[in-house]
Amino acid sequence: GMDVSGGNHKHKAPWKRMSKEELDNQYSPSRWVVRLGAEEAMRTYSQIGDEVTKRARATRRSLLDVPYGAGEGEKLDIYLPEAVSEAMPFLVFFHGGYWQSGSKDTSAFMVNPLTAQGVAVVIVAYDIAPKGTLDQMVDQVTQSIVFVQKQYPGNQGIYLCGHSAGAHLAAMMLLADWTKHGVMPNLRGFFLLSGVYDLEPIMHTSENARLLPTLEDAQRNSPLWHLETARTQPGYPACSILVTVGQHDSPEFHRQSREFYQVPQAPTLCHGGWKASFEELHDMDHFEILWNLTQEDYVLTQIILKTIFQESR
């Protein structure tokens, strides 16, 4: 059969042959945008996030800054549909920003189109670096999901969505040990947008300065390598995993997404009932892939709604 052990293609990973400059380039998403300059893209992106979040807070029923843990950074916002019911499906979103920037307060992109269709949307804050370590962030994301499940035990499915570094945090939940939290969340789907799943190359970029102290930290927090050795989760429900990347994301982001997508198809994981699909979004860059979720007719918004409602009906 196919060799799915990390062993041999790990050595062939193309990033190992790249200079530090090239790695920095590959892992700087704003340098790959096609319609704006890098600075302008970043500015536009946070500006749009800011505006859509203000609009969502003004026009939707919301519960803001709800504590999901004891830490001051452990807060989430819940945006509710018109018809609140025990059985609402939930989309839980984790923002990106290279684990060191970004905020729940500028991340409500998908709130209006999803709540309009009856989906509750939860936007989660976590302690970014240098305050938080990767291990803490993974733990906080785990706690936030446990919180949603305990608050809304009748939910019709919890769907995790993350962008960039947030997609990494969401993917880490495929490895979470829920038994020690005493609740099995009703996870039904993962929407992973332009993520990073192997953190080792990041260690060799200038992004690393405030983030990853050691190779061990990087490896422990690389879902790509752990999924390959993971036994399937006992009693894990059938789960759909959508791995998606923008056409204008960098080649390294493409490679990371494709490699991660291939893992759930390994024989050991198929039995867990995970259905993985891969989508390269035509003519989208790293930021547009997320900010277009403000539009109901956007292909990704439609995929998310279809996935949620096929599953729950």
Side-chain angles (χ1 to χ4, degrees), residues 255-277:
R255 181 187 68 81
Q256 288 242 8
S257 287
R258 284 198 184 275
E259 288 200 6
F260 187 75
Y261 157 67
Q262 280 154 7
V263 175
Q265 320 204 69
T268 47
L269 289 173
C270 285
H271 304 307
W274 291 349
K275 306 183 290 291
S277 54

Side-chain angles (χ1 to χ4, degrees), residues 107-158:
S107 295
F109 296 95
M110 70 295 294
V111 165
N112 283 359
L114 295 193
T115 53
Q117 300 298 321
V119 180
V121 178
V122 179
I123 314 270
V124 178
Y126 51 91
D127 283 321
I128 52 182
K131 185 181 181 197
T133 64
L134 277 167
D135 294 306
Q136 282 168 304
M137 295 176 217
V138 169
D139 189 58
Q140 288 174 329
V141 163
T142 311
Q143 285 180 55
S144 73
I145 296 163
V146 166
F147 174 84
V148 171
Q149 180 63 38
K150 286 183 169 166
Q151 288 297 109
Y152 300 94
N155 74 74
Q156 219 166 44
I158 295 175

Side-chain angles (χ1 to χ4, degrees), residues 45-113:
Y45 178 56
S46 54
Q47 199 183 325
I48 291 176
D50 203 39
E51 284 164 14
V52 297
T53 305
K54 286 195 173 83
R55 190 174 338 135
R57 289 175 177 180
T59 58
R60 290 297 189 256
R61 299 177 52 179
S62 56
L63 305 162
L64 303 178
D65 296 315
V66 179
Y68 64 80
E72 69 177 302
E74 298 174 348
K75 304 276 202 296
L76 49 77
D77 297 336
I78 305 171
Y79 296 89
L80 296 162
E82 289 297 293
V84 173
S85 77
E86 257 301 285
M88 296 177 294
F90 284 79
L91 181 113
V92 181
F93 180 72
F94 310 106
H95 69 78
Y98 259 128
W99 306 275
Q100 49 202 297
S101 67
S103 157
K104 74 173 174 54
D105 302 324
T106 54
S107 295
F109 296 95
M110 70 295 294
V111 165
N112 283 359

